Amino acid sequence: MNWHSQPFESVLEYFKVNRNNGLNEEQVKQHRQRYGENRLIAKKAKSNWALLLEQFNNPVIIILIIAAILNAFISDIKDTLVIVAVVILNTIIGFIQERRASDALKALEKMAAPHARVIRDGEQKHIPTQEVVCGDLLVLESGVRVPADGRLIESNNLLVDESMLTGESFAIEKRHDAYVPENAPLGDRVTMVYSGSIVQKGRGIAVVTAVGQQTEFGKIAQKVSEAEESQSPLQVQIAKFGKGLSLAILIVIAIIFIIGYLRGNEFVLMFLTSVGLAVSAIPEGLPVAVTITLSIGLSQMAVHKAIVKKLAAVETLGSTNIICTDKTGTLTKNEMTVTKFVLGDDIYHVTGAGYGVKGFVIDQKTNKVIDFNYNETVKIATYISALCTESVITKEGDQWKITGDATECALMIAAKKLNFNSDNYKVFVDIPFESEHQLMGVRTEIDGEIYILVKGAPEKVIQRCKYSLLADGSLSEIDQQKIEQEITQLSNEGLRILALAYKKVSVNNMVTISDLVDLIFVGFAGIEDAIRPEVVKAINDCHRAGIKVVMITGDHIKTARSVAKKVGLVPKGVEPYAITGVDLNNMSDEELYKIAPKVDVYARVVPEHKFRIVKQLQLNKNIVAMTGDGVNDAPALKQADIGVAMGSGTDVAREAAHMVLLDDNFATIVEAVRRGRIILNNLRHIILYILSTSAGGLLTIASSVFLGFPLPLLPAQLLWVNLVTDGTSTFPLAFEKEHGDVMAFPPRKKDEPLVSKDMVYRIILSALIMAVGTLLLFYFYLGGSFHPDSETLAKARTIAFCTLAFFQIWNVQNSRSLSRSLFFNLPYSKTDRLDRVSLSKNLVLLAVMLLALFLQVFAVTTPFMNVVMDTVPLSLTDWLIVFSTTFSIIIIVEIHKFINAKLNYRKKIQSSN
């Protein structure tokens, strides 16, 4: 039912409500049964057991469990315990994170008003909010949180703050007798009040039209519960990667096992070798490496005042290519500010945004800082700004604390910037602001003369004016054409406009609205929600990084367009592509899908619109971040790939979001994106290292089997290499710092492979070097015989064991970057270069490398380990041969990087020419 467009008498008749007495107890029971209770019904949350079992629905985890079971029966129990510990750690972390999923709905329930004031049986009663029913008459007054949706039947100077629902910066004036069309957006339905909004001023009575889930507030709760928690791009690709890798590993190991057995190797030996290969090749360190890398990123972001609630959100930020942001409180400070006075023929600019104490007023013609005595128009405009008010401002440090209407306080702060002190003036508010007249007037004495000071809506004030005040104090006839041009100009700038006027009277008696005739028009004050000063640079950084910023707001389209241009949402001189909520209502999802990637600004939208917009952007294969702070943002925050809430926002928004900005600073998002990209790079380096070491081990064993060699490494040695390399050297790659400027490149595409072509080439190159180097030394120490004696075989296996381990230990340095050298700065373009990745930039990794080298030497030089690992001591010459052979992997990869850099440099030069 379109209650907002119907006469309130029809609504009363529909619910069979007596306007004076309200519902009786029998009607209350009937209406509760018919229309439902005033409570939010949450979807039944998953049980703890269900959530716990879901954590095992991961192919890599399943492979690890199978490997652990096989290893427990056939081989060493120690490696089994390590794998089990990895599985348990990941399960616990995932369970704790997902247990928070129902918090958003709980926060919504907390926000509901605890009590309501209604008229029943002819009496006013205070009842719990949950007991309100459709047809109840709500009594509304200043400070009350509206408990249900309702159609006004009475209103008296009623102002309601709906910013949490609509994003509208200003309180909305509500009128029971206004005409509202059926298709009016939520923010324009002035005949209605909505659950969760707050009465800022005035009084009213409304008949309840919707309760619980049927309210606009309840619909948001429903959307929050329905919103799909989208998996991060990394989660999706790790799942695919795990499935593909597991299949490939099983096929290769099966082939190795069959060929090895057919070549004459013992069945048990080949089976144990296959299990060792499986444990070595399956990246059991990958899930933990991902978790630790994201956790490191989480702690780094917390230092920069961004609290990440879900680990995957850290990585998702690095892939984000669209940020949908609310305007009020996110791009703006949610602090009304006078930015411009248009007085007579002059324009004055007001500096200092928001409620800060600092700021000046500057004459546009002379570029001079002025005070209130500058000329007559400035003086009178200052009197009106400072004295025509019912609000109060008090200084607290370097900020003004406001009490009352935000617009009035903005004018008062502007008067302070003109060095005006209003303390010694006695003011009588003879004509308070009323919606019927759209203005207010006060009476005061200034320099022995009685002034009537007036401010209000331009069309209401100007029609009462006869003259215009000029800067020298003289008067002229009203120039309607000039005034209309000024209104149009200020409106196009997205400013809220107040007209200022006055008159002098001879007697200090109370005045009424009928006395406001023959006023003298002074000029206009242009007011806006102050832009956050750091936002412009932050948005520019986003554009530089290939990230599109989209504004989604409940504010008017002119204001939204103006803010979009001021913050640099579009290039200078370009008009933002903007559409309204009404336009969205007339569009199908298919139509929105086509235009969504092109739109810069959505204005006058409601929560359902925001949800739809995010959904269609995601269907366009975008990775979408949504910022916001109000209740209206919660469904879209949860639906988005990464929901970013403001710390000062509502509990609902914070609970629905994946990340919370403690400083409400849009620029913090840019820093979070930077951190996310660094983490993404580090994850790829970890994957590169794990795959190259796994491939190296597999290729070594496979080649030896195909060539008819004895096995170069025993199962226990394979597990040791896996422990010393993957087990120790993987995690320090997560501490790798930023290489160059990660924000100078476009974001990673959603469908971009986890393993790039360059990574594949590097993996193949590294695996070949490891396999060839290991088998050459193995063959050399075998003395060229495929059937050596046991002593020779033990020595050759010890050499192969150390060679493969050292190769993998050195290779961790190669994996720190795909393109940057360890020793030299490589050319990148005419104006840029790839700075080297020196050893000192990751001291944690360097320390772990030394530990891995020590452990490998320990496995060969101590008698106990000789028995456990079937190794023999090596001479100094043997160690030098192993060292020089294995260090070749760094030299060869460095040459490969240098050649690639040269080729890419030439391509860039050719394309630029």
Side-chain angles (χ1 to χ4, degrees), residues 705-882:
V705 171
F706 291 141
L707 293 172
F709 284 20
L711 288 175
L713 279 85
L714 295 171
Q717 293 171 345
L718 278 172
L719 293 174
W720 176 264
V721 171
N722 180 60
L723 176 66
V724 168
T725 56
D726 287 4
T728 58
S729 301
T730 304
F731 304 137
L733 285 171
F735 292 93
E736 199 66 29
K737 294 181 174 62
E738 181 178 8
H739 298 161
D741 182 7
V742 295
M743 298 297 284
F745 301 94
R748 178 173 171 266
K749 293 180 181 178
K750 196 168 189 174
D751 55 357
E752 185 179 328
L754 189 65
V755 180
S756 66
K757 285 183 181 179
D758 288 340
M759 289 174 69
V760 171
Y761 296 150
R762 175 68 65 76
I763 290 165
I764 293 171
L765 176 64
S766 300
L768 284 171
I769 296 168
M770 291 181 202
V772 171
T774 302
L775 291 177
L776 281 176
L777 284 188
F778 182 58
Y779 183 70
F780 174 75
Y781 274 87
L782 285 175
S785 171
F786 283 12
H787 303 285
D789 58 68
S790 59
E791 187 176 333
T792 302
L793 181 58
K795 177 76 176 282
R797 276 180 174 157
T798 304
I799 289 291
F801 174 43
C802 292
T803 302
L804 185 61
F806 273 44
F807 265 133
Q808 296 190 0
I809 293 168
W810 299 134
N811 192 47
V812 73
Q813 288 291 339
N814 289 333
S815 301
R816 291 174 63 196
S817 175
L818 267 173
S819 54
R820 294 172 187 270
S821 168
L822 291 169
F823 310 110
F824 309 103
N825 297 326
L826 300 177
Y828 179 68
S829 68
K830 284 183 177 179
T831 58
D832 198 8
R833 67 183 185 184
L834 296 175
D835 292 333
R836 67 191 180 92
V837 184
S838 67
L839 296 175
S840 61
K841 287 186 178 179
N842 192 337
L843 295 177
V844 175
L845 180 60
L846 189 60
V848 169
M849 273 187 67
L850 294 173
L851 173 63
L853 290 170
F854 169 77
L855 289 173
Q856 185 59 35
V857 173
F858 175 76
V860 175
T861 55
T862 58
F864 172 75
M865 292 303 292
N866 288 151
V867 174
V868 173
M869 289 287 134
D870 288 317
T871 56
V872 296
L874 299 178
S875 66
L876 179 60
T877 303
D878 295 330
W879 282 116
L880 288 174
I881 290 172
V882 169

Side-chain angles (χ1 to χ4, degrees), residues 49 81 87 111 190 200 210 245 294 317 335 347 364 367 373 399 422 460 518 550 655 696 735 751 774 825 832 855 910:
W49 280 110
L81 294 175
V87 172
M111 281 196 66
V190 296
Q200 197 175 81
L245 183 63
L294 296 178
L317 266 171
E335 296 178 3
I347 296 174
Q364 181 174 283
N367 205 31
N373 278 315
Q399 293 284 311
S422 59
K460 298 295 184 181
D518 296 338
V550 179
E655 293 297 341
F735 292 93
D751 55 357
T774 302
N825 297 326
D832 198 8
L855 289 173
Q910 288 169 0

Side-chain angles (χ1 to χ4, degrees), residues 39-281:
R39 63 175 72 241
L40 302 178
I41 303 170
K43 280 171 51 175
K44 188 176 179 181
K46 291 180 183 177
S47 69
N48 288 342
W49 280 110
L51 279 178
L52 189 64
L53 291 174
E54 276 186 6
Q55 307 311 310
F56 293 94
N57 187 23
N58 181 314
V60 174
I61 297 296
I62 291 170
I63 293 169
L64 291 175
I65 292 171
I66 293 170
I69 293 170
L70 290 174
N71 210 55
F73 280 105
I74 299 172
S75 187
D76 192 352
I77 194 67
K78 287 182 286 186
D79 205 69
T80 300
L81 294 175
V82 172
I83 298 171
V84 169
V86 168
V87 172
I88 292 173
L89 178 62
N90 276 275
T91 302
I92 291 172
I93 291 172
F95 172 77
I96 291 171
Q97 291 294 335
E98 294 197 25
R99 184 64 277 175
R100 299 176 181 177
S102 62
D103 287 350
L105 283 170
K106 291 177 182 176
L108 276 169
E109 290 177 345
K110 287 179 184 176
M111 281 196 66
H115 286 87
R117 194 170 159 200
V118 299
I119 298 174
R120 288 182 182 174
D121 293 319
E123 298 179 357
Q124 289 194 17
K125 298 181 179 180
H126 287 271
I127 62 172
T129 299
Q130 292 85 351
E131 294 183 13
V132 172
V133 298
C134 286
D136 262 327
L137 297 183
L138 296 176
V139 179
L140 306 172
E141 57 190 2
S142 180
V144 167
R145 187 188 294 275
V146 180
D149 291 359
R151 171 65 165 87
L152 288 167
I153 64 173
E154 290 182 20
S155 58
N156 182 10
N157 197 22
L158 185 63
L159 291 176
V160 179
D161 178 4
E162 294 180 345
S163 61
M164 291 190 300
L165 284 168
T166 66
E168 171 65 66
S169 307
F170 302 97
I172 308 297
E173 180 198 347
K174 299 290 184 176
R175 292 177 55 192
H176 69 285
D177 56 355
Y179 166 75
V180 180
E182 280 191 23
N183 65 346
L186 189 70
D188 292 340
R189 298 175 189 174
V190 296
T191 56
M192 298 288 293
V193 290
Y194 293 104
S195 175
S197 58
I198 299 171
V199 178
Q200 197 175 81
K201 188 176 180 182
R203 297 180 300 280
I205 296 177
V207 56
V208 175
T209 56
V211 294
Q213 297 287 103
Q214 301 306 313
T215 64
E216 295 298 325
F217 195 88
K219 290 173 186 175
I220 293 174
Q222 187 67 27
K223 284 289 183 184
V224 171
S225 67
E226 290 174 357
E228 303 165 6
E229 281 283 0
S230 54
Q231 282 192 315
S232 79
L234 185 73
Q235 286 174 316
V236 172
Q237 291 193 320
I238 285 289
K240 289 181 180 178
F241 172 69
K243 289 176 183 177
L245 183 63
S246 61
L247 182 61
I249 288 170
L250 290 174
I251 291 171
V252 171
I253 290 174
I255 293 170
I256 291 172
F257 172 78
I258 293 168
I259 295 176
Y261 178 65
L262 294 176
R263 290 266 187 180
N265 289 298
E266 293 180 10
F267 179 86
V268 174
L269 177 63
M270 283 310 304
F271 188 77
L272 287 173
T273 302
S274 298
V275 171
L277 269 177
V279 174
S280 178

Side-chain angles (χ1 to χ4, degrees), residues 237-340:
Q237 291 193 320
I238 285 289
K240 289 181 180 178
F241 172 69
K243 289 176 183 177
L245 183 63
S246 61
L247 182 61
I249 288 170
L250 290 174
I251 291 171
V252 171
I253 290 174
I255 293 170
I256 291 172
F257 172 78
I258 293 168
I259 295 176
Y261 178 65
L262 294 176
R263 290 266 187 180
N265 289 298
E266 293 180 10
F267 179 86
V268 174
L269 177 63
M270 283 310 304
F271 188 77
L272 287 173
T273 302
S274 298
V275 171
L277 269 177
V279 174
S280 178
I282 292 171
E284 76 274 12
L286 183 56
V288 173
V290 170
T291 301
I292 290 178
T293 304
L294 296 178
S295 298
I296 292 168
L298 186 149
S299 62
Q300 290 173 341
M301 287 183 180
V303 172
H304 292 88
K305 299 186 178 179
I307 302 300
V308 179
K309 295 168 59 185
K310 275 204 153 190
L311 287 177
V314 179
E315 172 266 331
T316 308
L317 266 171
S319 302
T320 298
N321 67 324
I322 292 183
I323 297 176
C324 295
T325 174
D326 190 27
K327 176 183 71 68
T328 306
T330 307
L331 298 178
T332 64
K333 300 175 77 173
N334 202 12
E335 296 178 3
M336 295 301 111
T337 306
V338 176
T339 60
K340 183 182 290 187

